[in-house]
Amino acid sequence: MKILVIGSGGREHALVWKLAHSPHVTQMWCAPGNAGIAQERLAKNSSLVECVNVSAADLPKLLAFALEKKIELTVVGPDNPLALGIVDLFQKNNLRIWGPNQKAAQFESSKVFSQNFMEKYGIPTARAGTFSGSAAAKKFAAELNGKCAVKVDGLALGKGVLICANEIEANKAIDEILVAKNFGAAGANIVIQEFLEGVEISLHAICDGKTAKLFPTSQDHKRALDGDKGLNTGGMGTYSPTPFLNDAELKKIGETILSPWLFGCAEEKINFCGILYPGIMLTKSGVKVLEFNARFGDPETQVYLTRLENDLVELLDASVNGALDKIELKWKPEVSVCVVMASSGYPGNYEKGKIIRGLDDAAKLPDVKVFHAGTAKNGNEIVTNGGRVLGVTALGKDLKTAQTAAYAAVEKIYFAGAQFRRDIAAKALKY
Ligand code: AMP
């Protein structure tokens, strides 16, 4: 099977790596990919994965490429092409593609849509209101004493959620979005949610339109610095499974969210094929969904796919074909930990082009896989090319072993200004 993967981050490297294990794959491309992706070889015939210099948002060029190469399955990593309707476009051109169509991708591309859907179908979520005018928004924020999350409706590169501790902060956030229009059209509407306290974890479920199969739990570390301090980032590390829910609790929570979600999708004629990734808070008064994403998490993918035992091509095929009910998900019992190494300054401004050393030494360690996120080739060197640079991932028989192995690999790698958190999975070890 000829496969095209769209995207260039750590998530896409993990997808390519796992797909490359499958004996079904005869040729694979990634657009635009990165230096690590370009080093992967297919299990079937040892051929290298080819990176194609086309951006993940350039739908016409991606379509032309897929038609020319007669791609048999396209796998979409990031949210942006999904929100732009890549799935609808490919399907119109009789190409098989894995991911939600534009209507289904609204679970991520519109927070107003998601919030309304959750309320309509009884999915447990935060108390919330949706607004386009600042006066009504401020009145609602005042009812919450200003303790709230103000959320831009549309996609905002992970920067569209402003956490407020009091009314002054809430009014400022509302003015920035609705009056100053700092987020442009994406911020024409907002959702304001009450501020929830508890343990935040990620759920993932693979869906085919009728069936949703839940993955084990994972936990991201969104803040840049140790102890959950500093700015919000795309994610500085993760691990799976978490100790916060046992299997029975996870099953129950999964049903609480996924049963009404599947019912609502059927009612609204939404055919969701892909990954539904709810961000949830375990609060004293039960589970609450903070938001839905409509694709694999990054870096959650790195820990999930190092644990997944199923053939990923067969799994994605079943998702596209509506046959997930026939598949049983199988996971390695080991724990996986991913530590993200980022450029100095990230998530603010950062420089690119720093030479990365020690990748081969890290790769020699047992049970370690270094996924590339923002890397590029410069002559014979691999250099930094993004904010998040690497996702150093290790499997271990327990959390401590996996964490120790991941940090041992991080110690082997060097680039100027490398920053990473030293406490990935620490909360779980204390639990
Ligand atoms: P979201 O993109 O909606 O998941 O929001 C980004 C981050 O903001 C989440 O990962 C949470 O840490 C935080 N957050 C979002 N909504 C809330 C809420 N209602 N209460 C507390 N924290 C929240």
Side-chain angles (χ1 to χ4, degrees):
M1 189 185 285
K2 294 184 187 180
I3 295 201
L4 169 65
V5 175
I6 294 175
S8 61
R11 164 184 48 217
E12 287 74 24
H13 190 182
L15 284 165
V16 163
W17 170 81
K18 181 68 182 163
L19 289 165
H21 281 72
S22 169
H24 300 293
V25 183
T26 51
Q27 251 182 310
M28 183 156 33
W29 292 266
C30 186
N34 62 37
I37 289 172
Q39 289 178 333
E40 294 297 339
R41 288 185 183 276
L42 304 185
K44 170 105 180 157
N45 54 21
S46 296
S47 64
L48 279 168
V49 175
E50 267 180 68
C51 289
V52 193
N53 192 14
V54 180
S55 130
D58 192 342
L59 272 46
K61 275 207 187 134
L62 291 169
L63 175 65
F65 181 83
L67 288 169
E68 182 205 321
K69 296 291 181 193
K70 299 192 169 42
I71 299 292
E72 291 160 284
L73 180 66
T74 298
V75 177
V76 190
D79 52 13
N80 197 23
L82 295 171
L84 292 171
I86 193 169
V87 171
D88 312 63
L89 178 70
F90 273 46
Q91 285 174 346
K92 259 186 229 136
N93 286 276
N94 297 317
L95 288 167
R96 290 180 77 241
I97 181 163
W98 178 80
N101 59 28
Q102 199 169 26
K103 185 176 180 189
Q106 283 183 100
F107 279 108
E108 176 155 12
S109 63
S110 170
K111 293 217 190 280
V112 170
F113 171 88
S114 261
Q115 192 68 38
N116 289 339
F117 185 97
M118 287 195 273
E119 286 168 17
K120 184 166 176 190
Y121 293 103
I123 297 169
T125 180
R127 184 181 160 205
T130 60
F131 306 94
S132 54
S134 63
K138 286 178 184 172
K139 188 163 171 274
F140 183 72
E143 281 173 35
L144 301 172
N145 295 324
K147 283 195 79 181
C148 61
V150 180
K151 304 188 176 190
V152 170
D153 178 37
L155 296 181
L157 300 169
K159 296 188 173 134
V161 176
L162 306 173
I163 302 292
C164 309
N166 52 48
E167 267 188 69
I168 296 169
E169 288 181 16
N171 289 345
K172 186 167 168 269
I174 291 164
D175 282 339
E176 273 174 25
I177 306 168
L178 291 181
V179 182
K181 309 238 177 270
N182 287 356
F183 291 85
N189 295 291
I190 57 171
V191 174
I192 300 182
Q193 287 182 339
E194 67 177 318
F195 181 81
L196 293 173
E197 279 174 79
V199 177
E200 189 181 345
I201 58 174
S202 302
L203 298 183
H204 278 56
I206 186 161
C207 312
D208 67 2
K210 307 182 297 276
T211 304
K213 296 246 165 171
L214 199 59
F215 286 13
T217 56
S218 63
Q219 187 173 49
D220 197 358
H221 295 63
K222 284 269 172 215
R223 300 295 199 93
L225 306 176
D226 285 9
D228 294 330
K229 304 245 164 53
L231 294 173
N232 249 335
T233 69
M236 294 299 289
T238 187
Y239 63 96
S240 172
T242 72
F244 307 112
L245 294 176
N246 62 34
D247 287 351
E249 287 164 336
L250 174 62
K251 191 162 177 270
K252 190 157 168 262
I253 283 179
E255 278 163 13
T256 310
I257 298 167
L258 294 176
S259 300
W261 179 79
L262 282 169
F263 177 81
C265 284
E267 286 288 297
E268 308 284 336
K269 308 217 173 341
I270 296 170
N271 183 20
F272 192 107
C273 158
I275 294 283
L276 182 76
Y277 152 20
I280 66 168
M281 192 75 91
L282 305 172
T283 75
K284 282 196 187 112
S285 54
V287 63
K288 310 268 183 196
V289 176
L290 298 178
E291 61 153 1
F292 284 124
N293 300 291
R295 37 86 198 168
F296 265 113
D298 187 347
E300 285 89 341
T301 313
Q302 291 82 318
V303 291
Y304 282 136
L305 295 188
T306 44
R307 294 189 61 215
L308 183 71
E309 288 192 343
N310 301 67
D311 180 310
L312 187 58
V313 174
E314 290 173 13
L315 187 58
L316 301 189
D317 245 352
S319 170
V320 172
N321 294 342
L324 274 180
D325 55 336
K326 294 182 192 73
I327 296 246
E328 189 196 340
L329 293 182
K330 294 205 180 92
W331 303 95
K332 290 185 181 149
E334 284 95 337
V335 177
S336 185
V337 172
C338 171
V339 178
V340 170
M341 298 181 77
S343 297
S344 171
Y346 175 77
N349 294 335
Y350 53 82
E351 290 176 8
K352 295 180 181 176
K354 311 286 178 203
I355 294 171
I356 308 173
R357 306 211 185 277
L359 288 167
D360 292 342
D361 289 340
K364 279 185 206 132
L365 296 174
D367 300 320
V368 166
K369 175 69 194 173
V370 179
F371 292 111
H372 291 219
T375 67
K377 204 84 193 277
N378 186 4
N380 285 331
E381 311 276 15
I382 291 182
V383 298
T384 66
N385 192 40
R388 291 188 292 171
V389 177
L390 302 167
V392 182
T393 308
L395 280 177
K397 64 179 180 356
D398 54 35
L399 195 53
K400 187 73 209 160
T401 312
Q403 188 200 44
T404 305
Y407 279 108
V410 166
E411 290 305 325
K412 299 267 179 212
I413 300 172
Y414 170 81
F415 54 90
Q419 56 154 333
F420 57 90
R421 280 181 60 161
R422 292 181 188 272
D423 65 345
I424 302 303
K427 256 183 271 166
L429 287 167
K430 279 193 215 123
Y431 182 70

